[in-house]
Amino acid sequence: MSLIKPPSRRRFLQASGALATMAAARIALPGGAWAQTTATPEVTGCKLGYIALTDSAPLIIAVEKGFFAKHGMPDVLVEKQASWGATRDNMALGSDSGGIDGGHILRPKVHLYSTGSVMQNSQPLPMYTLLNLNEDGQGLSVRQEYADSGVGLDSSPLKDIFAARRAAGEEIPVAMTFPGGTHDLWMRYWLAAGGIDPTSEVDLIVVPPPQMVANMKVGNMEAFCVGEPWNEQLVNQNIGFTAATTGELWARHPEKVLGMRADWVDANPNATIAVMMAVMEAQMWCDLPENKQEMAEIIGRRQWYNVPVADIVGRIQGQINYGNGRNELRPELAMKFWGENGETSYPWKSLDAWFITENKRWGYLPGDLDTAALVNATNRSDLWLAAAAGLGLSVDFGDSRGVETFFDGKTFDPADPQAYLDAQSIKAMV
């Protein structure tokens, strides 16, 4: 039986009130507040959380290279979190109560926190998505014993294997990192595309990213989805292999974001812009090929990830050792932080619409939830444009990246999310 259960209807009735409050607060903000990109920050610091995953690199580089200090925020603290559950709890506390104000989080968490669907006592925590930290760079890993099964981007070879084990009374533990988060959604999409119902044919479990490799080593799971460097470390330790990278499921997919409590942002608009400018400069630095080795050396240090550079550097350069006899140079699959003109960093509203729709697909959000209202209440692309202007950039991307295409031929048109849902044969909507 899966450990992941859909939330109650009452929870979403409570959440709708919170969304209305957020929308009203946005309307009440002075229109010129976000344009003052050179104004002095209201505070000189904040507390940002991160998980030991390569896509948190821009926050770490912003500290190590002095970008926060450069933009008037020398007292920003970037603090390691034990798990995504701990991140949620510390975000709910806020820094005034010993928690954090924001940080590196799974993109759907902004929606899940803001609706209260994953919060203690279903209490909504209004959040904003400020920028997209990265694209791609996650992996779908499988135990070494399945290396000759033929499983890869196509998960269907596992269907009969899992069915036989279940018929024998065995559980099929498959791990992700947080219910409704990106890794959960990538795992579900991959399995469902191969005809495996993730709700009934496997046992979804939650494991913190840094504990994935150790748990597979002792036989606690058949497969997992997590970000780097843990898939590469699994291969380097000969414990399992990468069936596919998530960039193969959906090219240039969004992943983590810089998300912050709405109350902190609303109280500190200039400081928010300053934090964003620092992180955006760090994203530019991280994307330069000549900085990849140094980046791996910095984030691998004991105080950050405590991971060997060899477990980090290959995949950020696009060298994918799948661990099952395939070792390929795939620069298009490397983790991206900035893009040519910042299009990787920009928080496209259309991409938020996909995450909300996919969470509806699996019962984490109700099918009749107003997607546009939730996106507009939480996505601060206006702040991104203000920060970009503060950096001397002249860009205006709009709200939509257009129609997205997935590896199985399915498409998502943000103007018609229902068509996407109707095309899915395996789902668990409420």
Side-chain angles (χ1 to χ4, degrees):
M1 179 179 179
S2 172
L3 301 180
I4 311 305
K5 298 179 180 179
S8 69
R9 185 71 189 169
R10 181 170 177 266
R11 177 174 302 177
F12 296 108
L13 295 177
Q14 295 171 334
S16 27
L19 290 174
T21 300
M22 288 175 69
R26 289 281 298 279
I27 293 169
L29 287 172
W34 308 115
Q36 300 174 25
T37 57
T38 58
T40 302
E42 299 84 359
V43 294
T44 60
C46 61
K47 288 186 179 180
L48 304 176
Y50 79 98
I51 295 283
L53 290 164
T54 306
D55 39 39
S56 67
L59 299 187
I60 295 167
I61 294 301
V63 173
E64 293 279 354
K65 293 297 180 179
F67 293 130
F68 285 127
K70 173 183 175 180
H71 291 286
M73 298 293 288
D75 300 318
V76 170
L77 298 177
V78 177
E79 301 179 341
K80 184 182 289 187
Q81 308 294 297
S83 66
W84 291 122
T87 301
R88 171 200 59 203
D89 296 342
N90 284 327
M91 197 81 74
L93 287 172
S95 63
D96 289 343
S97 299
I100 57 178
D101 302 304
H104 159 252
I105 58 175
L106 303 159
R107 188 161 182 155
K109 273 175 159 257
V110 171
H111 314 128
L112 299 171
Y113 290 2
S114 295
T115 58
S117 67
V118 298
M119 305 304 293
Q120 292 186 13
N121 301 317
S122 304
Q123 181 64 43
L125 175 63
M127 293 283 297
Y128 292 148
T129 296
L130 300 182
L131 57 80
N132 194 63
L133 281 171
N134 70 296
E135 294 172 340
D136 301 335
Q138 319 299 296
L140 293 146
S141 289
V142 183
R143 287 179 60 181
Q144 198 67 49
E145 68 180 80
Y146 300 127
D148 297 328
S149 69
V151 65
L153 186 56
D154 178 9
S155 66
S156 64
L158 292 176
K159 185 173 178 66
D160 289 343
I161 295 172
F162 286 172
R165 295 190 59 173
R166 187 167 290 281
E170 299 180 38
E171 293 186 346
I172 312 296
V174 172
M176 44 77 173
T177 63
F178 191 82
T182 55
H183 302 127
D184 183 16
L185 300 183
W186 308 142
M187 177 60 77
R188 287 175 181 269
Y189 197 105
W190 178 64
L191 291 173
I196 302 169
D197 190 331
T199 304
S200 61
E201 296 184 60
V202 299
D203 300 283
L204 287 168
I205 61 173
V206 176
V207 175
Q211 297 177 24
M212 287 289 191
V213 175
N215 273 274
M216 185 169 278
K217 184 175 183 178
V218 298
N220 287 345
M221 62 183 74
E222 304 304 301
F224 64 68
C225 183
V226 74
E228 298 303 337
W230 308 112
N231 302 283
E232 179 79 350
Q233 184 176 97
L234 185 84
V235 168
N236 289 342
Q237 294 185 11
N238 299 311
I239 298 168
F241 66 97
T242 299
T245 72
T246 52
E248 294 172 85
L249 299 186
W250 176 11
R252 300 195 71 102
H253 72 76
E255 182 54 39
K256 308 300 189 301
V257 297
L258 172 60
M260 294 197 74
R261 290 175 55 116
D263 58 0
W264 195 93
V265 172
D266 293 345
N268 302 288
N270 298 326
T272 299
I273 294 289
V275 167
M276 294 176 68
M277 291 168 68
V279 175
M280 290 161 74
E281 280 206 59
Q283 289 183 284
M284 297 178 203
W285 188 94
C286 289
D287 247 8
L288 292 174
E290 60 267 30
N291 291 338
K292 299 297 185 182
Q293 179 70 30
E294 184 182 358
M295 183 186 111
E297 292 170 358
I298 290 172
I299 64 179
R301 292 173 185 165
R302 180 179 297 273
Q303 69 267 35
W304 297 115
Y305 298 177
N306 194 25
V307 170
V309 171
D311 291 345
I312 303 171
V313 71
R315 296 198 183 196
I316 62 174
Q317 296 175 328
Q319 186 66 50
I320 314 295
N321 177 7
Y322 288 83
N324 58 356
R326 297 171 61 198
N327 196 328
E328 303 174 5
L329 181 60
R330 302 285 301 276
E332 75 279 10
L333 297 179
M335 188 175 291
K336 303 152 195 70
F337 297 97
W338 179 250
E340 292 184 10
N341 298 299
E343 68 276 7
T344 294
S345 173
Y346 183 72
W348 300 91
K349 289 186 176 182
S350 62
L351 302 181
D352 283 334
W354 181 84
F355 283 111
I356 293 169
T357 302
E358 191 71 359
N359 266 289
K360 290 181 180 183
R361 177 186 178 186
W362 300 116
Y364 292 120
L365 294 172
D368 60 356
L369 180 69
D370 188 333
T371 296
L374 181 53
V375 171
N376 289 328
T378 57
N379 184 296
R380 298 310 305 264
S381 58
D382 58 329
L383 296 186
W384 191 96
L385 293 171
L391 292 172
L393 305 175
S394 180
V395 290
D396 188 0
F397 293 119
D399 289 340
S400 179
R401 203 170 73 166
V403 175
E404 305 290 339
T405 302
F406 302 84
F407 82 106
D408 58 352
K410 297 287 196 309
T411 59
F412 176 77
D413 182 349
D416 188 9
Q418 189 59 46
Y420 169 85
L421 287 172
D422 291 344
Q424 307 300 332
S425 58
I426 299 177
K427 49 196 168 190
M429 296 186 67
V430 295

Coordinates of all heavy atoms in Angstrom, one line a residue, residues 206-240:
V206 N 9.0 8.0 1.0 CA 9.7 9.3 1.1 C 11.1 9.0 1.8 O 11.1 8.5 2.9 CB 8.9 10.3 1.8 CG1 9.8 11.6 2.0 CG2 7.6 10.6 1.1
V207 N 12.2 9.4 1.1 CA 13.5 9.3 1.7 C 14.2 10.6 1.4 O 14.2 11.1 0.2 CB 14.3 8.1 1.0 CG1 15.7 8.1 1.5 CG2 13.6 6.8 1.3
P208 N 14.9 11.2 2.3 CA 15.7 12.4 2.1 C 16.8 12.2 1.1 O 17.4 11.1 1.0 CB 16.3 12.8 3.5 CG 15.4 12.1 4.5 CD 14.9 10.8 3.8
P209 N 17.1 13.2 0.2 CA 18.0 13.0 -0.9 C 19.4 12.4 -0.4 O 19.9 11.4 -1.0 CB 18.2 14.4 -1.4 CG 16.9 15.0 -1.2 CD 16.4 14.5 0.1
P210 N 20.0 12.9 0.7 CA 21.3 12.4 1.0 C 21.3 10.9 1.5 O 22.4 10.3 1.7 CB 21.8 13.3 2.1 CG 21.0 14.6 1.9 CD 19.7 14.1 1.5
Q211 N 20.1 10.4 1.8 CA 20.0 9.0 2.3 C 19.6 8.0 1.2 O 19.5 6.8 1.5 CB 19.0 9.0 3.4 CG 19.4 9.8 4.6 CD 18.3 9.8 5.7 OE1 17.5 8.9 5.8 NE2 18.3 10.9 6.5
M212 N 19.5 8.5 0.0 CA 19.0 7.6 -1.1 C 20.0 6.4 -1.3 O 19.6 5.2 -1.4 CB 18.8 8.3 -2.4 CG 17.6 9.2 -2.4 SD 16.1 8.2 -2.5 CE 14.9 9.6 -2.8
V213 N 21.3 6.8 -1.5 CA 22.3 5.8 -1.8 C 22.4 4.7 -0.7 O 22.4 3.5 -1.0 CB 23.6 6.4 -2.1 CG1 24.7 5.4 -2.4 CG2 23.5 7.3 -3.4
A214 N 22.5 5.2 0.5 CA 22.6 4.2 1.6 C 21.4 3.3 1.7 O 21.6 2.1 2.0 CB 22.8 5.0 2.9
N215 N 20.2 3.8 1.5 CA 19.0 3.0 1.5 C 19.0 2.0 0.4 O 18.5 0.8 0.6 CB 17.8 3.9 1.6 CG 17.4 4.3 2.9 OD1 16.7 3.6 3.7 ND2 17.9 5.5 3.3
M216 N 19.4 2.3 -0.8 CA 19.4 1.3 -1.9 C 20.5 0.3 -1.6 O 20.3 -0.9 -1.9 CB 19.6 2.0 -3.2 CG 19.5 1.0 -4.4 SD 19.5 1.7 -6.0 CE 17.7 2.1 -6.1
K217 N 21.6 0.7 -1.0 CA 22.7 -0.2 -0.7 C 22.3 -1.4 0.2 O 22.7 -2.5 0.0 CB 23.9 0.5 -0.1 CG 25.1 -0.3 0.2 CD 26.3 0.5 0.7 CE 27.5 -0.3 0.9 NZ 28.7 0.5 1.3
V218 N 21.4 -1.1 1.2 CA 20.9 -2.1 2.1 C 19.6 -2.7 1.6 O 19.0 -3.5 2.4 CB 20.8 -1.5 3.5 CG1 22.1 -1.1 4.0 CG2 19.7 -0.4 3.6
G219 N 19.2 -2.4 0.4 CA 18.0 -3.1 -0.2 C 16.7 -2.6 0.3 O 15.7 -3.3 0.2
N220 N 16.6 -1.3 0.7 CA 15.3 -0.7 1.1 C 14.5 -0.2 0.0 O 13.3 0.2 0.2 CB 15.6 0.4 2.1 CG 16.1 -0.1 3.4 OD1 15.9 -1.3 3.7 ND2 16.6 0.8 4.3
M221 N 14.9 -0.3 -1.3 CA 14.1 0.3 -2.4 C 14.6 -0.4 -3.7 O 15.7 -0.9 -3.8 CB 14.3 1.8 -2.5 CG 15.7 2.2 -2.7 SD 15.9 4.0 -2.8 CE 15.8 4.4 -1.0
E222 N 13.6 -0.4 -4.6 CA 13.9 -0.9 -6.0 C 14.4 0.2 -6.9 O 15.1 -0.1 -7.9 CB 12.6 -1.6 -6.5 CG 12.0 -2.7 -5.6 CD 13.0 -3.8 -5.3 OE1 13.5 -4.4 -6.2 OE2 13.3 -4.0 -4.1
A223 N 13.9 1.4 -6.7 CA 14.2 2.5 -7.6 C 14.0 3.8 -6.8 O 13.3 3.8 -5.8 CB 13.4 2.5 -8.8
F224 N 14.6 4.8 -7.3 CA 14.4 6.1 -6.7 C 14.6 7.2 -7.7 O 15.2 7.1 -8.7 CB 15.3 6.4 -5.4 CG 16.8 6.5 -5.7 CD1 17.4 7.5 -6.4 CD2 17.6 5.5 -5.1 CE1 18.7 7.6 -6.5 CE2 19.0 5.6 -5.3 CZ 19.6 6.6 -6.0
C225 N 14.0 8.4 -7.4 CA 14.2 9.6 -8.2 C 14.7 10.7 -7.2 O 14.1 10.9 -6.2 CB 12.9 10.1 -8.9 SG 13.2 11.5 -9.9
V226 N 15.8 11.3 -7.6 CA 16.5 12.3 -6.8 C 17.3 13.2 -7.7 O 17.6 12.8 -8.8 CB 17.3 11.7 -5.6 CG1 18.6 11.1 -6.1 CG2 17.5 12.7 -4.5
G227 N 17.8 14.3 -7.2 CA 18.7 15.1 -7.9 C 20.1 14.7 -7.7 O 20.4 13.8 -6.9
E228 N 21.0 15.3 -8.5 CA 22.5 15.0 -8.3 C 23.0 15.7 -7.0 O 22.4 16.6 -6.5 CB 23.2 15.5 -9.5 CG 22.8 14.8 -10.8 CD 23.0 13.2 -10.7 OE1 23.8 12.7 -9.9 OE2 22.3 12.5 -11.5
P229 N 24.0 15.2 -6.4 CA 25.0 14.2 -7.0 C 24.7 12.7 -6.6 O 25.6 11.9 -6.8 CB 26.3 14.6 -6.3 CG 25.9 15.0 -4.9 CD 24.5 15.7 -5.1
W230 N 23.5 12.4 -6.2 CA 23.2 11.1 -5.6 C 23.1 10.0 -6.6 O 23.5 8.8 -6.3 CB 22.1 11.2 -4.6 CG 22.3 12.3 -3.6 CD1 21.6 13.5 -3.5 CD2 23.3 12.4 -2.7 NE1 22.1 14.3 -2.6 CE2 23.1 13.6 -2.0 CE3 24.3 11.6 -2.3 CZ2 24.0 14.1 -1.0 CZ3 25.2 12.0 -1.2 CH2 25.0 13.2 -0.6
N231 N 22.6 10.3 -7.8 CA 22.5 9.3 -8.8 C 24.0 8.9 -9.3 O 24.3 7.7 -9.5 CB 21.7 9.8 -10.0 CG 20.3 10.2 -9.6 OD1 19.5 9.3 -9.4 ND2 20.0 11.5 -9.5
E232 N 24.8 9.9 -9.5 CA 26.2 9.7 -9.9 C 26.9 8.9 -8.8 O 27.7 8.0 -9.1 CB 26.9 11.0 -10.2 CG 28.3 10.9 -10.6 CD 28.6 10.5 -12.0 OE1 27.6 10.1 -12.7 OE2 29.7 10.5 -12.5
Q233 N 26.7 9.3 -7.5 CA 27.3 8.5 -6.4 C 26.9 7.1 -6.4 O 27.7 6.2 -6.2 CB 27.0 9.2 -5.1 CG 27.8 8.5 -3.9 CD 27.5 9.3 -2.6 OE1 26.7 8.8 -1.8 NE2 28.3 10.3 -2.3
L234 N 25.7 6.8 -6.7 CA 25.2 5.4 -6.7 C 25.9 4.6 -7.8 O 26.4 3.5 -7.5 CB 23.7 5.4 -7.1 CG 23.0 4.1 -7.1 CD1 22.6 3.7 -5.7 CD2 21.7 4.1 -8.0
V235 N 26.1 5.2 -9.0 CA 26.9 4.6 -10.0 C 28.3 4.4 -9.6 O 28.9 3.3 -9.8 CB 26.8 5.4 -11.3 CG1 27.8 4.9 -12.4 CG2 25.4 5.4 -11.9
N236 N 28.9 5.4 -9.1 CA 30.4 5.3 -8.7 C 30.6 4.3 -7.6 O 31.7 3.7 -7.5 CB 30.9 6.7 -8.2 CG 31.0 7.7 -9.3 OD1 31.0 7.3 -10.5 ND2 31.1 9.0 -9.0
Q237 N 29.6 4.0 -6.8 CA 29.7 2.9 -5.8 C 29.2 1.6 -6.3 O 29.1 0.6 -5.5 CB 29.0 3.4 -4.5 CG 29.6 4.6 -3.9 CD 28.9 5.0 -2.5 OE1 28.1 4.2 -2.0 NE2 29.3 6.1 -2.0
N238 N 28.8 1.5 -7.5 CA 28.4 0.2 -8.1 C 27.2 -0.4 -7.4 O 27.1 -1.7 -7.3 CB 29.5 -0.8 -8.2 CG 30.7 -0.3 -9.1 OD1 30.5 0.1 -10.2 ND2 31.9 -0.4 -8.5
I239 N 26.3 0.4 -7.0 CA 25.1 -0.1 -6.2 C 23.9 -0.1 -7.2 O 23.0 -0.9 -7.0 CB 24.8 0.9 -5.0 CG1 26.0 0.8 -4.0 CG2 23.5 0.5 -4.3 CD1 25.9 1.9 -3.0
G240 N 23.8 0.8 -8.1 CA 22.7 0.8 -9.0 C 23.1 1.6 -10.3 O 24.3 1.9 -10.5

